[in-house]
Short mmCIF file of all heavy atoms in Angstrom, two decimals:
data_model
loop_
_atom_site.label_atom_id
_atom_site.label_comp_id
_atom_site.label_asym_id
_atom_site.label_seq_id
_atom_site.Cartn_x
_atom_site.Cartn_y
_atom_site.Cartn_z
N ARG A 1283 159.93 117.64 69.70
CA ARG A 1283 158.50 117.74 69.50
C ARG A 1283 157.78 116.96 70.58
O ARG A 1283 158.23 115.89 70.98
CB ARG A 1283 158.08 117.16 68.15
CG ARG A 1283 158.71 117.78 66.95
CD ARG A 1283 157.97 119.06 66.62
NE ARG A 1283 158.50 119.62 65.41
CZ ARG A 1283 157.77 120.12 64.44
NH1 ARG A 1283 156.47 120.14 64.55
NH2 ARG A 1283 158.33 120.62 63.37
N THR A 1284 156.66 117.48 71.03
CA THR A 1284 155.87 116.80 72.04
C THR A 1284 154.55 116.35 71.45
O THR A 1284 153.86 117.12 70.78
CB THR A 1284 155.58 117.74 73.23
OG1 THR A 1284 156.83 118.17 73.77
CG2 THR A 1284 154.81 117.03 74.32
N VAL A 1285 154.22 115.09 71.67
CA VAL A 1285 152.95 114.53 71.22
C VAL A 1285 152.14 114.22 72.48
O VAL A 1285 152.63 113.53 73.37
CB VAL A 1285 153.19 113.24 70.39
CG1 VAL A 1285 151.88 112.62 69.97
CG2 VAL A 1285 154.07 113.54 69.18
N LYS A 1286 150.93 114.74 72.52
CA LYS A 1286 150.06 114.55 73.69
C LYS A 1286 148.96 113.56 73.33
O LYS A 1286 148.23 113.77 72.37
CB LYS A 1286 149.45 115.88 74.11
CG LYS A 1286 150.49 116.90 74.50
CD LYS A 1286 149.87 118.26 74.75
CE LYS A 1286 150.96 119.29 75.05
NZ LYS A 1286 150.43 120.63 75.20
N ILE A 1287 148.87 112.48 74.13
CA ILE A 1287 147.93 111.41 73.83
C ILE A 1287 147.30 110.91 75.12
O ILE A 1287 147.98 110.68 76.12
CB ILE A 1287 148.64 110.23 73.12
CG1 ILE A 1287 149.27 110.72 71.81
CG2 ILE A 1287 147.66 109.11 72.85
CD1 ILE A 1287 150.05 109.67 71.06
N LYS A 1288 145.98 110.71 75.07
CA LYS A 1288 145.25 110.19 76.22
C LYS A 1288 145.71 108.76 76.51
O LYS A 1288 145.70 107.91 75.62
CB LYS A 1288 143.75 110.23 75.94
CG LYS A 1288 142.91 109.77 77.10
CD LYS A 1288 141.43 109.87 76.78
CE LYS A 1288 140.61 109.36 77.95
NZ LYS A 1288 139.18 109.37 77.62
N PRO A 1289 146.11 108.48 77.75
CA PRO A 1289 146.60 107.14 78.08
C PRO A 1289 145.52 106.08 77.94
O PRO A 1289 144.36 106.30 78.28
CB PRO A 1289 147.07 107.27 79.53
CG PRO A 1289 146.45 108.51 80.06
CD PRO A 1289 146.12 109.38 78.90
N GLY A 1290 145.93 104.94 77.41
CA GLY A 1290 145.02 103.80 77.26
C GLY A 1290 144.03 103.93 76.12
O GLY A 1290 143.16 103.09 75.94
N SER A 1291 144.19 104.96 75.30
CA SER A 1291 143.25 105.22 74.21
C SER A 1291 143.63 104.45 72.95
O SER A 1291 144.74 103.93 72.81
CB SER A 1291 143.19 106.71 73.90
OG SER A 1291 144.44 107.14 73.37
N TRP A 1292 142.69 104.41 72.01
CA TRP A 1292 142.93 103.83 70.69
C TRP A 1292 144.10 104.57 70.03
O TRP A 1292 144.95 103.96 69.42
CB TRP A 1292 141.65 103.97 69.86
CG TRP A 1292 141.79 103.52 68.45
CD1 TRP A 1292 141.60 102.26 67.97
CD2 TRP A 1292 142.14 104.32 67.31
NE1 TRP A 1292 141.82 102.22 66.62
CE2 TRP A 1292 142.14 103.49 66.19
CE3 TRP A 1292 142.45 105.67 67.15
CZ2 TRP A 1292 142.45 103.95 64.91
CZ3 TRP A 1292 142.75 106.13 65.87
CH2 TRP A 1292 142.74 105.27 64.78
N THR A 1293 144.12 105.88 70.18
CA THR A 1293 145.17 106.71 69.59
C THR A 1293 146.54 106.34 70.14
O THR A 1293 147.51 106.24 69.39
CB THR A 1293 144.89 108.21 69.84
OG1 THR A 1293 143.59 108.53 69.34
CG2 THR A 1293 145.92 109.09 69.18
N GLU A 1294 146.62 106.12 71.43
CA GLU A 1294 147.91 105.74 72.02
C GLU A 1294 148.37 104.39 71.48
O GLU A 1294 149.53 104.20 71.15
CB GLU A 1294 147.83 105.70 73.54
CG GLU A 1294 149.19 105.39 74.17
CD GLU A 1294 149.19 105.43 75.68
OE1 GLU A 1294 148.30 104.81 76.30
OE2 GLU A 1294 150.08 106.08 76.23
N ASN A 1295 147.45 103.46 71.36
CA ASN A 1295 147.78 102.14 70.83
C ASN A 1295 148.31 102.26 69.40
O ASN A 1295 149.34 101.67 69.06
CB ASN A 1295 146.55 101.24 70.88
CG ASN A 1295 146.87 99.82 70.49
OD1 ASN A 1295 147.87 99.26 70.90
ND2 ASN A 1295 146.00 99.25 69.67
N LYS A 1296 147.64 103.05 68.57
CA LYS A 1296 148.09 103.24 67.19
C LYS A 1296 149.44 103.95 67.14
O LYS A 1296 150.30 103.61 66.32
CB LYS A 1296 147.06 104.05 66.40
CG LYS A 1296 145.78 103.30 66.14
CD LYS A 1296 146.04 102.19 65.17
CE LYS A 1296 144.77 101.51 64.75
NZ LYS A 1296 145.02 100.42 63.81
N PHE A 1297 149.65 104.94 68.01
CA PHE A 1297 150.91 105.67 68.08
C PHE A 1297 152.06 104.73 68.44
O PHE A 1297 153.11 104.74 67.80
CB PHE A 1297 150.79 106.80 69.09
CG PHE A 1297 152.08 107.51 69.38
CD1 PHE A 1297 152.69 108.32 68.43
CD2 PHE A 1297 152.70 107.38 70.61
CE1 PHE A 1297 153.88 108.98 68.69
CE2 PHE A 1297 153.88 108.05 70.89
CZ PHE A 1297 154.47 108.84 69.92
N LEU A 1298 151.86 103.91 69.45
CA LEU A 1298 152.90 102.97 69.87
C LEU A 1298 153.20 101.96 68.77
O LEU A 1298 154.37 101.60 68.55
CB LEU A 1298 152.51 102.29 71.18
CG LEU A 1298 152.41 103.23 72.39
CD1 LEU A 1298 151.89 102.47 73.60
CD2 LEU A 1298 153.73 103.92 72.68
N ASN A 1299 152.17 101.50 68.07
CA ASN A 1299 152.38 100.58 66.95
C ASN A 1299 153.14 101.27 65.81
O ASN A 1299 153.97 100.64 65.15
CB ASN A 1299 151.05 100.02 66.45
CG ASN A 1299 150.50 98.96 67.37
OD1 ASN A 1299 151.25 98.28 68.07
ND2 ASN A 1299 149.19 98.82 67.41
N LEU A 1300 152.86 102.54 65.58
CA LEU A 1300 153.58 103.31 64.57
C LEU A 1300 155.07 103.37 64.90
O LEU A 1300 155.92 103.16 64.03
CB LEU A 1300 152.99 104.73 64.49
CG LEU A 1300 153.72 105.74 63.63
CD1 LEU A 1300 153.74 105.31 62.17
CD2 LEU A 1300 153.07 107.11 63.77
N LEU A 1301 155.38 103.63 66.15
CA LEU A 1301 156.79 103.67 66.56
C LEU A 1301 157.45 102.31 66.36
O LEU A 1301 158.59 102.23 65.89
CB LEU A 1301 156.90 104.11 68.02
CG LEU A 1301 156.46 105.54 68.34
CD1 LEU A 1301 156.63 105.82 69.83
CD2 LEU A 1301 157.21 106.57 67.50
N LYS A 1302 156.73 101.24 66.69
CA LYS A 1302 157.29 99.89 66.51
C LYS A 1302 157.55 99.59 65.04
O LYS A 1302 158.57 99.00 64.70
CB LYS A 1302 156.34 98.84 67.09
CG LYS A 1302 156.32 98.82 68.60
CD LYS A 1302 155.33 97.80 69.12
CE LYS A 1302 155.19 97.94 70.63
NZ LYS A 1302 154.14 97.06 71.15
N ARG A 1303 156.62 100.01 64.16
CA ARG A 1303 156.80 99.77 62.72
C ARG A 1303 158.04 100.48 62.18
O ARG A 1303 158.64 100.04 61.20
CB ARG A 1303 155.56 100.24 61.93
CG ARG A 1303 154.41 99.29 61.98
CD ARG A 1303 153.39 99.54 60.89
NE ARG A 1303 153.03 100.93 60.69
CZ ARG A 1303 152.08 101.59 61.34
NH1 ARG A 1303 151.37 100.97 62.25
NH2 ARG A 1303 151.82 102.86 61.07
N HIS A 1304 158.42 101.57 62.81
CA HIS A 1304 159.61 102.31 62.39
C HIS A 1304 160.84 101.92 63.20
O HIS A 1304 161.86 102.62 63.15
CB HIS A 1304 159.35 103.82 62.47
CG HIS A 1304 158.46 104.31 61.38
ND1 HIS A 1304 158.92 104.63 60.14
CD2 HIS A 1304 157.12 104.50 61.34
CE1 HIS A 1304 157.92 105.02 59.38
NE2 HIS A 1304 156.81 104.94 60.09
N ASP A 1305 160.73 100.83 63.93
CA ASP A 1305 161.85 100.29 64.73
C ASP A 1305 162.45 101.30 65.70
O ASP A 1305 163.67 101.37 65.89
CB ASP A 1305 162.96 99.74 63.82
CG ASP A 1305 162.51 98.54 63.01
OD1 ASP A 1305 161.74 97.71 63.57
OD2 ASP A 1305 162.90 98.42 61.84
N VAL A 1306 161.57 102.09 66.32
CA VAL A 1306 162.00 103.07 67.31
C VAL A 1306 162.22 102.34 68.63
O VAL A 1306 161.34 101.59 69.09
CB VAL A 1306 160.94 104.19 67.49
CG1 VAL A 1306 161.33 105.13 68.61
CG2 VAL A 1306 160.77 104.95 66.18
N LYS A 1307 163.36 102.55 69.24
CA LYS A 1307 163.63 101.94 70.54
C LYS A 1307 162.91 102.76 71.60
O LYS A 1307 163.19 103.94 71.80
CB LYS A 1307 165.14 101.93 70.81
CG LYS A 1307 165.88 101.03 69.85
CD LYS A 1307 167.35 101.03 70.13
CE LYS A 1307 168.03 100.13 69.11
NZ LYS A 1307 169.46 100.11 69.28
N MET A 1308 161.96 102.14 72.27
CA MET A 1308 161.11 102.85 73.22
C MET A 1308 161.90 103.43 74.39
O MET A 1308 161.48 104.42 74.97
CB MET A 1308 159.98 101.93 73.73
CG MET A 1308 158.95 101.59 72.66
SD MET A 1308 158.26 103.05 71.84
CE MET A 1308 157.41 103.83 73.18
N GLU A 1309 163.03 102.84 74.71
CA GLU A 1309 163.83 103.38 75.81
C GLU A 1309 164.46 104.73 75.43
O GLU A 1309 164.92 105.46 76.29
CB GLU A 1309 164.90 102.40 76.27
CG GLU A 1309 165.87 101.96 75.21
CD GLU A 1309 165.45 100.71 74.44
OE1 GLU A 1309 164.30 100.28 74.57
OE2 GLU A 1309 166.29 100.19 73.70
N LEU A 1310 164.42 105.08 74.14
CA LEU A 1310 164.95 106.37 73.69
C LEU A 1310 163.86 107.44 73.56
O LEU A 1310 164.16 108.59 73.28
CB LEU A 1310 165.68 106.21 72.35
CG LEU A 1310 166.87 105.25 72.37
CD1 LEU A 1310 167.47 105.13 70.99
CD2 LEU A 1310 167.90 105.71 73.38
N VAL A 1311 162.60 107.04 73.74
CA VAL A 1311 161.49 107.98 73.68
C VAL A 1311 161.18 108.43 75.11
O VAL A 1311 160.88 107.61 75.97
CB VAL A 1311 160.23 107.34 73.04
CG1 VAL A 1311 159.05 108.29 73.08
CG2 VAL A 1311 160.53 106.90 71.62
N MET A 1312 161.26 109.73 75.33
CA MET A 1312 160.95 110.24 76.67
C MET A 1312 159.44 110.38 76.81
O MET A 1312 158.78 110.90 75.93
CB MET A 1312 161.63 111.58 76.89
CG MET A 1312 163.15 111.47 76.93
SD MET A 1312 163.94 113.05 77.26
CE MET A 1312 163.32 113.40 78.88
N LYS A 1313 158.93 109.89 77.93
CA LYS A 1313 157.49 109.94 78.18
C LYS A 1313 157.24 110.56 79.55
O LYS A 1313 157.85 110.17 80.54
CB LYS A 1313 156.91 108.52 78.16
CG LYS A 1313 155.45 108.46 78.50
CD LYS A 1313 154.96 107.02 78.53
CE LYS A 1313 153.53 106.94 79.02
NZ LYS A 1313 153.08 105.54 79.13
N ARG A 1314 156.33 111.52 79.58
CA ARG A 1314 155.89 112.10 80.84
C ARG A 1314 154.44 111.63 81.04
O ARG A 1314 153.52 112.13 80.40
CB ARG A 1314 155.94 113.63 80.79
CG ARG A 1314 155.50 114.25 82.12
CD ARG A 1314 155.55 115.76 82.08
NE ARG A 1314 156.92 116.18 81.80
CZ ARG A 1314 157.21 117.32 81.15
NH1 ARG A 1314 156.29 118.12 80.74
NH2 ARG A 1314 158.48 117.64 80.93
N PRO A 1315 154.23 110.68 81.95
CA PRO A 1315 152.89 110.14 82.15
C PRO A 1315 151.93 111.16 82.76
O PRO A 1315 152.34 112.08 83.46
CB PRO A 1315 153.10 108.97 83.11
CG PRO A 1315 154.54 108.89 83.39
CD PRO A 1315 155.23 110.05 82.78
N SER A 1316 150.65 110.97 82.48
CA SER A 1316 149.62 111.86 83.00
C SER A 1316 149.62 111.86 84.53
O SER A 1316 149.35 112.88 85.16
CB SER A 1316 148.25 111.46 82.48
OG SER A 1316 147.94 110.13 82.86
N THR A 1317 149.97 110.74 85.13
CA THR A 1317 149.99 110.65 86.59
C THR A 1317 151.08 111.54 87.19
O THR A 1317 150.94 112.01 88.31
CB THR A 1317 150.21 109.20 87.05
OG1 THR A 1317 151.39 108.69 86.42
CG2 THR A 1317 149.03 108.32 86.69
N MET A 1318 152.12 111.79 86.42
CA MET A 1318 153.21 112.63 86.90
C MET A 1318 152.90 114.12 86.69
O MET A 1318 153.24 114.95 87.53
CB MET A 1318 154.49 112.26 86.17
CG MET A 1318 155.71 113.03 86.59
SD MET A 1318 157.09 112.53 85.55
CE MET A 1318 158.14 111.80 86.78
N SER A 1319 152.26 114.44 85.57
CA SER A 1319 152.01 115.84 85.23
C SER A 1319 150.66 116.36 85.75
O SER A 1319 150.45 117.56 85.79
CB SER A 1319 152.06 116.02 83.71
OG SER A 1319 151.00 115.32 83.09
N GLY A 1320 149.75 115.44 86.09
CA GLY A 1320 148.43 115.85 86.53
C GLY A 1320 147.52 116.27 85.39
O GLY A 1320 146.44 116.82 85.61
N LYS A 1321 147.94 116.01 84.16
CA LYS A 1321 147.16 116.36 82.98
C LYS A 1321 146.47 115.10 82.45
O LYS A 1321 146.88 113.98 82.75
CB LYS A 1321 148.06 116.98 81.92
CG LYS A 1321 148.70 118.27 82.43
CD LYS A 1321 149.63 118.86 81.42
CE LYS A 1321 150.25 120.13 82.00
NZ LYS A 1321 151.30 120.68 81.19
N PRO A 1322 145.40 115.28 81.64
CA PRO A 1322 144.66 114.11 81.16
C PRO A 1322 145.33 113.39 79.98
O PRO A 1322 144.69 112.58 79.32
CB PRO A 1322 143.32 114.71 80.74
CG PRO A 1322 143.64 116.11 80.35
CD PRO A 1322 144.77 116.53 81.27
N TYR A 1323 146.59 113.66 79.73
CA TYR A 1323 147.27 113.03 78.61
C TYR A 1323 148.72 112.74 78.98
O TYR A 1323 149.29 113.37 79.85
CB TYR A 1323 147.24 113.93 77.37
CG TYR A 1323 147.67 115.36 77.63
CD1 TYR A 1323 149.01 115.69 77.71
CD2 TYR A 1323 146.73 116.36 77.82
CE1 TYR A 1323 149.42 116.99 77.97
CE2 TYR A 1323 147.12 117.66 78.07
CZ TYR A 1323 148.46 117.97 78.14
OH TYR A 1323 148.86 119.25 78.41
N ASP A 1324 149.29 111.75 78.28
CA ASP A 1324 150.71 111.45 78.39
C ASP A 1324 151.42 112.32 77.35
O ASP A 1324 150.87 112.60 76.28
CB ASP A 1324 151.00 109.98 78.07
CG ASP A 1324 150.48 109.02 79.13
OD1 ASP A 1324 150.23 109.46 80.27
OD2 ASP A 1324 150.33 107.83 78.81
N GLU A 1325 152.62 112.74 77.66
CA GLU A 1325 153.41 113.52 76.72
C GLU A 1325 154.61 112.67 76.27
O GLU A 1325 155.37 112.18 77.10
CB GLU A 1325 153.93 114.80 77.36
CG GLU A 1325 152.83 115.78 77.71
CD GLU A 1325 153.35 117.02 78.40
OE1 GLU A 1325 154.16 116.88 79.35
OE2 GLU A 1325 152.96 118.11 77.99
N TYR A 1326 154.73 112.51 74.97
CA TYR A 1326 155.86 111.80 74.39
C TYR A 1326 156.75 112.82 73.69
O TYR A 1326 156.27 113.60 72.86
CB TYR A 1326 155.38 110.77 73.37
CG TYR A 1326 154.61 109.62 73.97
CD1 TYR A 1326 153.24 109.70 74.16
CD2 TYR A 1326 155.27 108.46 74.36
CE1 TYR A 1326 152.53 108.65 74.72
CE2 TYR A 1326 154.56 107.40 74.91
CZ TYR A 1326 153.20 107.50 75.09
OH TYR A 1326 152.51 106.46 75.63
N MET A 1327 158.02 112.86 74.05
CA MET A 1327 158.95 113.79 73.44
C MET A 1327 159.75 113.07 72.35
O MET A 1327 160.40 112.07 72.63
CB MET A 1327 159.89 114.39 74.50
CG MET A 1327 159.28 115.56 75.19
SD MET A 1327 158.79 115.59 76.92
CE MET A 1327 158.45 114.10 77.62
N LEU A 1328 159.65 113.59 71.13
CA LEU A 1328 160.31 112.99 69.98
C LEU A 1328 161.32 113.97 69.39
O LEU A 1328 161.11 115.18 69.41
CB LEU A 1328 159.27 112.65 68.90
CG LEU A 1328 158.06 111.82 69.32
CD1 LEU A 1328 157.10 111.68 68.15
CD2 LEU A 1328 158.49 110.46 69.81
N SER A 1329 162.37 113.43 68.82
CA SER A 1329 163.34 114.28 68.12
C SER A 1329 162.68 114.82 66.86
O SER A 1329 161.72 114.25 66.33
CB SER A 1329 164.58 113.48 67.75
OG SER A 1329 164.27 112.53 66.75
N ASP A 1330 163.19 115.94 66.36
CA ASP A 1330 162.66 116.52 65.13
C ASP A 1330 162.78 115.54 63.97
O ASP A 1330 161.89 115.44 63.13
CB ASP A 1330 163.37 117.82 64.78
CG ASP A 1330 162.91 118.98 65.66
OD1 ASP A 1330 161.79 118.91 66.21
OD2 ASP A 1330 163.67 119.96 65.77
N GLY A 1331 163.90 114.82 63.91
CA GLY A 1331 164.12 113.86 62.84
C GLY A 1331 163.07 112.76 62.83
O GLY A 1331 162.50 112.45 61.78
N LEU A 1332 162.82 112.17 63.97
CA LEU A 1332 161.81 111.12 64.07
C LEU A 1332 160.43 111.68 63.75
O LEU A 1332 159.65 111.07 63.02
CB LEU A 1332 161.80 110.49 65.47
CG LEU A 1332 160.70 109.48 65.74
CD1 LEU A 1332 160.72 108.33 64.74
CD2 LEU A 1332 160.79 108.96 67.17
N TYR A 1333 160.14 112.86 64.28
CA TYR A 1333 158.83 113.47 64.04
C TYR A 1333 158.59 113.66 62.54
O TYR A 1333 157.51 113.36 62.04
CB TYR A 1333 158.71 114.80 64.77
CG TYR A 1333 157.34 115.40 64.67
CD1 TYR A 1333 156.32 115.01 65.53
CD2 TYR A 1333 157.05 116.36 63.70
CE1 TYR A 1333 155.06 115.54 65.43
CE2 TYR A 1333 155.78 116.91 63.59
CZ TYR A 1333 154.79 116.49 64.46
OH TYR A 1333 153.53 117.01 64.35
N LYS A 1334 159.60 114.12 61.81
CA LYS A 1334 159.46 114.33 60.37
C LYS A 1334 159.20 113.02 59.64
O LYS A 1334 158.44 112.99 58.68
CB LYS A 1334 160.70 115.03 59.81
CG LYS A 1334 160.78 116.48 60.21
CD LYS A 1334 162.05 117.13 59.71
CE LYS A 1334 162.14 118.56 60.23
NZ LYS A 1334 163.39 119.20 59.81
N ILE A 1335 159.82 111.95 60.10
CA ILE A 1335 159.64 110.65 59.46
C ILE A 1335 158.21 110.14 59.63
O ILE A 1335 157.62 109.59 58.71
CB ILE A 1335 160.65 109.62 60.02
CG1 ILE A 1335 162.06 110.00 59.56
CG2 ILE A 1335 160.30 108.21 59.59
CD1 ILE A 1335 163.16 109.21 60.25
N ILE A 1336 157.64 110.31 60.83
CA ILE A 1336 156.32 109.74 61.11
C ILE A 1336 155.19 110.76 61.04
O ILE A 1336 154.04 110.42 61.26
CB ILE A 1336 156.29 109.04 62.49
CG1 ILE A 1336 156.46 110.05 63.63
CG2 ILE A 1336 157.33 107.93 62.55
CD1 ILE A 1336 156.20 109.46 65.00
N GLN A 1337 155.48 112.00 60.70
CA GLN A 1337 154.51 113.09 60.77
C GLN A 1337 153.22 112.79 59.99
O GLN A 1337 152.12 112.97 60.54
CB GLN A 1337 155.14 114.39 60.27
CG GLN A 1337 154.21 115.57 60.38
CD GLN A 1337 154.88 116.86 59.96
OE1 GLN A 1337 156.02 116.87 59.48
NE2 GLN A 1337 154.20 117.96 60.15
N ALA A 1338 153.33 112.36 58.75
CA ALA A 1338 152.14 112.12 57.94
C ALA A 1338 151.25 111.04 58.55
O ALA A 1338 150.03 111.20 58.65
CB ALA A 1338 152.53 111.74 56.51
N GLU A 1339 151.86 109.95 58.99
CA GLU A 1339 151.09 108.87 59.61
C GLU A 1339 150.50 109.31 60.95
O GLU A 1339 149.38 108.94 61.29
CB GLU A 1339 151.98 107.63 59.80
CG GLU A 1339 152.39 106.99 58.50
CD GLU A 1339 153.35 105.85 58.74
OE1 GLU A 1339 152.88 104.72 59.00
OE2 GLU A 1339 154.57 106.11 58.67
N LEU A 1340 151.26 110.08 61.70
CA LEU A 1340 150.80 110.57 63.01
C LEU A 1340 149.59 111.48 62.84
O LEU A 1340 148.64 111.38 63.60
CB LEU A 1340 151.94 111.30 63.71
CG LEU A 1340 151.66 111.82 65.10
CD1 LEU A 1340 151.23 110.70 66.04
CD2 LEU A 1340 152.89 112.52 65.66
N GLU A 1341 149.60 112.32 61.83
CA GLU A 1341 148.46 113.22 61.59
C GLU A 1341 147.21 112.42 61.23
O GLU A 1341 146.11 112.80 61.63
CB GLU A 1341 148.81 114.23 60.50
CG GLU A 1341 149.80 115.27 60.99
CD GLU A 1341 150.31 116.19 59.90
OE1 GLU A 1341 149.90 116.03 58.72
OE2 GLU A 1341 151.11 117.07 60.23
N LYS A 1342 147.36 111.31 60.52
CA LYS A 1342 146.21 110.45 60.20
C LYS A 1342 145.64 109.85 61.48
O LYS A 1342 144.43 109.78 61.65
CB LYS A 1342 146.62 109.33 59.24
CG LYS A 1342 146.90 109.80 57.85
CD LYS A 1342 147.33 108.64 56.99
CE LYS A 1342 147.81 109.10 55.63
NZ LYS A 1342 148.30 107.97 54.82
N ILE A 1343 146.51 109.39 62.36
CA ILE A 1343 146.07 108.78 63.61
C ILE A 1343 145.34 109.82 64.48
O ILE A 1343 144.27 109.55 65.01
CB ILE A 1343 147.27 108.21 64.41
CG1 ILE A 1343 147.85 106.99 63.69
CG2 ILE A 1343 146.86 107.83 65.82
CD1 ILE A 1343 149.17 106.52 64.27
N ARG A 1344 145.93 110.98 64.63
CA ARG A 1344 145.36 112.01 65.49
C ARG A 1344 144.09 112.60 64.91
O ARG A 1344 143.23 113.07 65.66
CB ARG A 1344 146.39 113.10 65.75
CG ARG A 1344 147.56 112.56 66.57
CD ARG A 1344 148.75 113.45 66.52
NE ARG A 1344 148.65 114.51 67.52
CZ ARG A 1344 149.49 115.50 67.60
NH1 ARG A 1344 150.47 115.61 66.73
NH2 ARG A 1344 149.37 116.41 68.53
N GLY A 1345 143.96 112.57 63.59
CA GLY A 1345 142.78 113.13 62.96
C GLY A 1345 141.62 112.16 62.87
O GLY A 1345 140.49 112.55 62.58
N ALA A 1346 141.88 110.88 63.14
CA ALA A 1346 140.83 109.85 63.02
C ALA A 1346 139.81 109.94 64.13
O ALA A 1346 140.00 110.50 65.16
CB ALA A 1346 141.47 108.47 63.00
#
């Protein structure tokens, strides 16, 4: 699953804190920075398993 988040935003900060609360090792999360892709957002690639675990909380963050 790919999560697209504007770099340096409140949403990104909340997303990163969410991953920390679930003890996700950041070195295992693939990130494609906006500077590399030329897009206005960073792309975080998550496994389906991790996505299912954090999906409800992630939707609250993205919907806020």
